[in-house]
Each structure stands twice: as structure tokens, then as C-alpha cells.
Amino acid sequence: MIQNTNYSSILKSKEQGKKQFAVLIDPDKFKSTKIIKLAESVGTDFILVGGSLISSGNFEKCIKNIKAITSIPVIIFPGNNLQVSKSADSILLLSLISGRNPDFLIGQHVISAPFLKSSGLEIIPTGYMLIESEKQTAASYMSNTIPIPNDKYDIAMSTAMAGEMLGLKLIYMDAGSGAKKSVPSEMINKVSSSIKIPLVIGGGINSAAKATAACKAGADIIVVGNALEKDSSLIRNISHAIHKF
Ligand code: 1GP
């Protein structure tokens, strides 16, 4: 039986050449449900929840509040093994394949596995790749890993290919939240041509033009967080640009 999962919807969209839009919510900065209502009104495909470091202890409450007011699927984008909740729909089980820190390649997963197994969450195994932006990002600092240099396309391609061959179901290339320089189009293009699994792009996408460029280069899902925290009105144009692509 083919189950109707968030991953199957991602695959179906990719097959149909449709791009998807995900809004990233940082629980530490989640003060009002306005952004969720806006996200719903513009046809957002997914809400991601997570952060490199959550200091407010607001994770579970944030997911419950979001689930209470929207039917948009909520997917955990965990910064560490404390960011798990049965209230979400799915989790990106991130293996940080751009780095060489065993804790983020497998260690955190071992700790979370028994909980995840019994949680009922849809598990989406994801190859997570940090790409260099202009300054060090929280994700790179907190994971104690060096991002892939943003002009080393061959390293990015080989890393994504290895992730796919290891059986991961998604590749997520991230320049880091609020990155000044988002993942270069040429790198997106080269990586997307090297793999068959869907490609997620995030980090520093703060305009419809940047979202369009990433789609054009081969991204299947665009994630936007920081820019919407600063100006939530951007959401309409960004969503429109992605969906009309
Ligand atoms: C960060 O990819 C996400 O991990 C989203 O980045 O917050 O810069 O949109 P922004």
C-alpha cells in the first residue's frame, strides 16, 4: 500500500516539476501565530520547526501551537536530539554529511532512535550539507563542523552523491540561517544534476528573485526563515515565485 506521507508528496511534486515552499520557524523567536496564518493564506507546503540552539524551552509548545491552527504539515528540522516531539508530523533525520563530526553523522541519531521508533513520526532520512557563507554560522559552530567551500562544486556533488548512495532520501544544502551569501546557483545546478533524490535549499533566501534563482538552478524545496522574521510580508511574493515556477 502506498502511504500518503509528506515524503511521497515531495516525490510527487518533484515528478511533476512543481517546486515547494517551506517556512522555517525558530521556536525561540515564535511569538505570534500571525506568520502561520500568513503561511496558510499563501499556500505554504510545509512548516519546519527547529534551530541550532533553542534556549527558550519552547519547542513542544511551539509545535502544539502551530498544529492547533493549521493543517500545513509540520516537519521537525532538529538542531540536536532534544528537538523531538510526537506532536509534529515528520522529522528530517539529518546526517550532517558535509562534516566529519561523528556525533552529527550518527551519534545523536543513536540517542534518539528508540524515541523516534515509537513516536509515530514519519522519518525522512536527510543528508544535510552546510555550505560556506561569508561568516561562520550558528549551525557550523554548534555542530563543530567546517562547511563545504562555496566554490568547491565537485566536493558538494560528491558529498550529495555519497549521501544518495547511502540511501538518504533528501539532500538539504544550507548556507545557514540569515546567511549573507546563499548557496550559489551553480552549486545547486551541479548537485541537482548529480542526484535523483529531491534537493532542499535554505539559508539567506530573502527575496522572490533569490527563490526563483534557486528553483531555476534545480532546487525542489526552498526554505525561508530569517527573512520572514524580519519582514513577514515578503512571504506572499516568495511563495508566489516558487509556486509559479
Ligand atoms: C536555516 O535553511 C534555513 O537553517 C533557513 O535559512 O533562516 O536564512 O532563511 P534562513
Side-chain angles (χ1 to χ4, degrees), residues 52-207:
S52 302
L53 174 70
I54 297 177
S55 46
S56 63
N58 212 12
F59 187 72
E60 180 74 28
K61 202 170 134 206
C62 172
I63 291 188
K64 284 194 167 143
N65 285 346
I66 296 171
K67 286 294 295 174
I69 57 155
T70 185
S71 54
I72 304 173
V74 173
I75 303 180
I76 300 171
F77 172 46
N80 57 52
N81 61 33
L82 295 174
Q83 296 174 30
V84 286
S85 159
K86 291 181 183 172
S87 307
D89 299 295
S90 311
I91 181 166
L92 299 182
L93 190 60
L94 305 175
S95 185
L96 211 177
I97 58 176
S98 57
R100 297 296 178 266
N101 180 349
D103 200 29
F104 285 86
L105 281 162
I106 184 64
Q108 302 265 324
H109 317 64
V110 173
I111 296 168
S112 310
F115 172 86
L116 291 178
K117 183 97 181 169
S118 64
S119 67
L121 288 166
E122 176 195 4
I123 313 288
I124 307 178
T126 302
Y128 188 48
M129 294 167 52
L130 292 175
I131 308 301
E132 177 198 19
S133 79
E134 263 171 17
K135 60 181 176 85
Q136 188 177 38
T137 60
S140 154
Y141 181 81
M142 291 304 294
S143 64
N144 197 13
T145 65
I146 303 167
I148 295 177
N150 61 13
D151 57 350
K152 299 293 180 203
Y153 307 144
D154 49 349
I155 297 179
M157 285 160 67
S158 304
T159 306
M161 286 192 282
E164 179 175 57
M165 288 189 271
L166 281 165
L168 299 170
K169 302 289 184 210
L170 274 187
I171 295 292
Y172 188 151
M173 287 208 288
D174 197 345
S177 197
K180 283 217 171 91
K181 262 186 117 171
S182 33
V183 181
S185 292
E186 202 171 340
M187 184 180 270
I188 298 175
N189 185 260
K190 295 235 150 95
V191 168
S192 73
S193 326
S194 314
I195 55 173
K196 290 209 167 70
I197 52 176
L199 179 62
V200 184
I201 297 293
I205 295 180
N206 54 12
S207 67

Side-chain angles (χ1 to χ4, degrees), residues 20-65:
Q20 293 183 297
F21 173 44
V23 169
L24 173 63
I25 301 293
D26 176 344
D28 277 353
K29 295 180 189 145
F30 184 63
K31 305 279 181 267
S32 125
T33 53
K34 188 181 140 210
I35 184 70
I36 306 300
K37 294 193 173 127
L38 263 175
E40 189 150 283
S41 73
V42 301
T44 301
D45 298 283
F46 304 107
I47 305 279
L48 300 191
V49 181
S52 302
L53 174 70
I54 297 177
S55 46
S56 63
N58 212 12
F59 187 72
E60 180 74 28
K61 202 170 134 206
C62 172
I63 291 188
K64 284 194 167 143
N65 285 346

